[in-house]
């Protein structure tokens, strides 16, 4: 109900603009399907909102009387921030701004929300040189973890990327390979953008080969939208790909079984694993963890972090790989 009310209010604001709005703009701004837009317009009809469709100007939806003040007809409820709201917003902004490529968009968004916060008597966390630093007011802290120190060469590329993903536009990129150092120009179909360990990435289909590749945005040397459109590959699901706890570098799917020592088992269990992950208790307190993953590279690093507290039971290929890796580590530390 609340979300529907927000959509109705937003639609009224769009129609109330001097130039009105189109069906496509309503669909884009409300983030809903075309049929849902019509339901929203029907709700405005029932409420008696005075609008019409201007067939002479691209079928734009407009107010019957341009001087009609929609703000008085559909007043937005007052927005007030609580202490909890302010703390969470401060933390969210600080966390997101750790990514250099997002620093400018986050700063601009924060300025807009600062005004809303001020109306409710709260100031968000001050800028580094601002008054009130170190005031001792409550905050939600973020543990320091090393992330990527690189950033986009051109911040305008980020907005271009989001637009290309939304409207399914073919792009041409000039890209630097981390492994070879070579710089090449080739077309891509950008499918989704995501953040990982303070780095920004994009899933993109390479039309020349048909495979889906991860693009690190800071390694872009150029980014151009060609104007051509594309259709995303069937079955591509970015949420499914990013749901793997063991990282974005993915291979063929494997079934894994790990055995954790009794003293470390509680720490493994308390993590927020996907529902498909299963745990089997052993009589001696050890715990067997079973799951399916594509993130083999990240999984290997995670296993090494548990040292002697974990044993790979399955598959045999992973058990062999870990044994080889551990043998190499032993050789390194056996050197004088």
């Amino acid at each position: 109900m609340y979300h529907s009310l927000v959509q109705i209010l937003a639609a009224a604001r769009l129609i109330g603009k001097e130039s009105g709005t189109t069906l496509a703009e309503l669909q884009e701004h409300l983030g809903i399907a075309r049929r849902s837009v019509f339901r929203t317009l029907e709700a405005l009809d029932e409420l008696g909102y005075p609008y019409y469709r201007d067939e002479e100007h691209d079928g734009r939806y407009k107010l019957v009387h341009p001087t009609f003040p929609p703000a008085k007809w559909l007043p937005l409820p007052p927005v007030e921030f609580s202490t909890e709201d302010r703390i969470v917003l401060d933390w969210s902004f600080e966390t997101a701004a750790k990514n250099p490529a997002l620093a400018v968009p986050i700063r601009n968004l924060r300025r807009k929300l600062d005004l809303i916060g001020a109306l409710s008597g709260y100031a968000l966390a001050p800028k580094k040189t601002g008054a009130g630093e170190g005031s001792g007011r409550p905050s939600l802290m973020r543990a320091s973890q090393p992330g990527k120190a690189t950033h986009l060469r051109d911040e305008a590329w980020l907005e271009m990327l989001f637009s290309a993903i939304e409207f399914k536009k073919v792009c041409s990129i000039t890209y630097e390979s981390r492994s070879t150092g070579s710089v090449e120009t080739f077309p891509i179909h950008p499918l989704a953008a995501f953040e990982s360990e303070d780095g920004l990435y994009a899933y993109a289909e390479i039309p020349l080969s048909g495979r889906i590749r991860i693009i690190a945005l800071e390694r872009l040397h150029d980014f151009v939208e060609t104007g051509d459109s594309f259709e995303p590959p069937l079955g591509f699901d970015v949420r499914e790909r990013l749901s793997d706890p063991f990282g974005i570098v993915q291979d063929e799917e494997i079934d894994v079984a790990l055995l954790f020592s009794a003293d470390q088992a509680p720490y493994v269990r308390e993590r927020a694993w996907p529902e498909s992950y299963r745990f089997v208790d052993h009589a001696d307190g050890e715990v067997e963890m079973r799951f399916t993953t594509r993130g083999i590279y990240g999984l290997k690093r995670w296993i090494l972090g548990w040292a002697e507290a974990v044993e790979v039971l399955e598959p045999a290929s992973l058990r062999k790989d870990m044994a080889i890796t551990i043998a190499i580590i032993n050789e390194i530390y056996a050197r004088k």
Side-chain angles (χ1 to χ4, degrees):
M1 176 64 72
Y2 176 79
H3 187 59
S4 298
L5 175 61
V6 170
Q7 290 175 345
I8 292 172
L9 292 171
R13 289 294 183 266
L14 291 170
I15 294 173
K17 294 190 305 179
E18 183 177 353
S19 60
T21 188
T22 66
L23 190 64
E25 289 172 348
L26 284 168
Q27 184 175 342
E28 174 189 349
H29 284 264
L30 302 184
I32 56 180
R34 184 185 179 93
R35 61 181 180 275
S36 297
V37 173
F38 286 119
R39 293 195 191 103
T40 302
L41 292 174
E42 289 174 0
L44 287 174
D45 289 333
E46 293 176 5
L47 293 170
Y49 190 65
Y51 76 95
Y52 72 104
R53 186 173 185 182
D54 189 350
E55 300 293 350
E56 296 181 359
H57 296 88
D58 301 323
R60 302 184 74 85
Y61 294 91
K62 298 180 179 180
L63 284 175
V64 173
H65 302 290
T67 58
F68 184 83
K72 293 182 179 179
W73 181 80
L74 276 179
L76 285 171
V79 177
E80 295 187 2
F81 288 167
S82 65
T83 299
E84 180 185 15
D85 294 335
R86 194 264 304 153
I87 291 173
V88 172
L89 280 171
D90 284 343
W91 175 83
S92 300
F93 282 130
E94 180 183 357
T95 301
K98 294 291 184 182
N99 191 311
L102 291 175
V104 172
I106 291 298
R107 185 165 63 247
N108 293 337
L109 176 60
R110 184 170 196 147
R111 286 171 179 167
K112 297 175 184 178
L113 288 179
D114 278 344
L115 298 176
I116 300 176
L119 290 175
S120 62
Y122 276 106
L124 300 181
K127 59 183 180 181
K128 295 297 183 182
T129 57
E133 192 75 14
S135 63
R137 69 185 188 180
S139 62
L140 184 63
M141 306 302 291
R142 180 176 187 263
S144 178
Q145 294 178 332
K148 302 186 74 173
T150 52
H151 59 276
L152 290 175
R153 291 178 170 85
D154 187 340
E155 291 170 350
W157 292 345
L158 189 60
E159 184 175 353
M160 293 170 60
L161 173 66
F162 290 157
S163 176
I165 292 172
E166 180 176 6
F167 298 105
K168 300 178 179 58
K169 295 298 183 181
V170 179
C171 299
S172 174
I173 65 171
T174 301
Y175 189 70
E176 178 182 343
S177 169
R178 180 67 75 203
S179 58
T180 65
S182 62
V183 177
E184 299 179 359
T185 299
F186 52 90
I188 65 168
H189 296 169
L191 303 173
F194 61 95
E195 186 268 350
S196 178
E197 298 181 348
D198 289 341
L200 283 181
Y201 302 87
Y203 279 117
E205 183 182 31
I206 311 302
L208 299 178
S209 63
R211 68 187 183 93
I212 295 176
R213 177 175 174 180
I214 294 176
I215 303 295
L217 301 193
E218 77 274 1
R219 297 211 292 273
L220 287 173
H221 286 246
D222 197 12
F223 185 96
V224 179
E225 186 179 303
T226 66
D228 296 329
S229 300
F230 69 88
E231 287 297 324
L234 294 176
F236 174 78
D237 187 339
V238 64
R239 286 183 173 80
E240 180 182 354
R241 286 175 176 259
L242 296 180
S243 65
D244 196 313
F246 298 109
I248 62 176
V249 180
Q250 299 182 345
D251 299 288
E252 294 297 322
E253 189 173 82
I254 61 170
D255 294 323
V256 179
L258 305 177
L259 182 65
F260 287 89
S261 62
D263 62 325
Q264 294 301 309
Y267 300 103
V268 179
R269 275 186 173 277
E270 69 182 8
R271 300 197 178 194
W273 299 107
E275 293 183 0
S276 59
Y277 282 45
R278 295 183 294 109
F279 291 90
V280 180
D281 294 318
H282 288 210
D284 57 2
E286 293 181 326
V287 169
E288 189 175 320
M289 180 181 179
R290 289 186 169 272
F291 55 92
T292 301
T293 182
R294 294 180 184 272
I296 301 173
Y297 173 74
L299 172 62
K300 290 179 180 178
R301 293 199 300 173
W302 186 72
I303 291 174
L304 288 173
W306 288 99
E308 75 281 0
V310 64
E311 177 187 355
V312 177
L313 302 180
E314 299 174 9
S317 58
L318 178 61
R319 184 181 177 91
K320 181 179 179 181
D321 287 346
M322 296 307 302
I324 294 173
T325 300
I326 293 170
I328 294 173
I329 293 174
N330 286 335
E331 289 180 7
I332 292 175
Y333 283 94
R335 298 172 185 169
K336 294 183 179 180

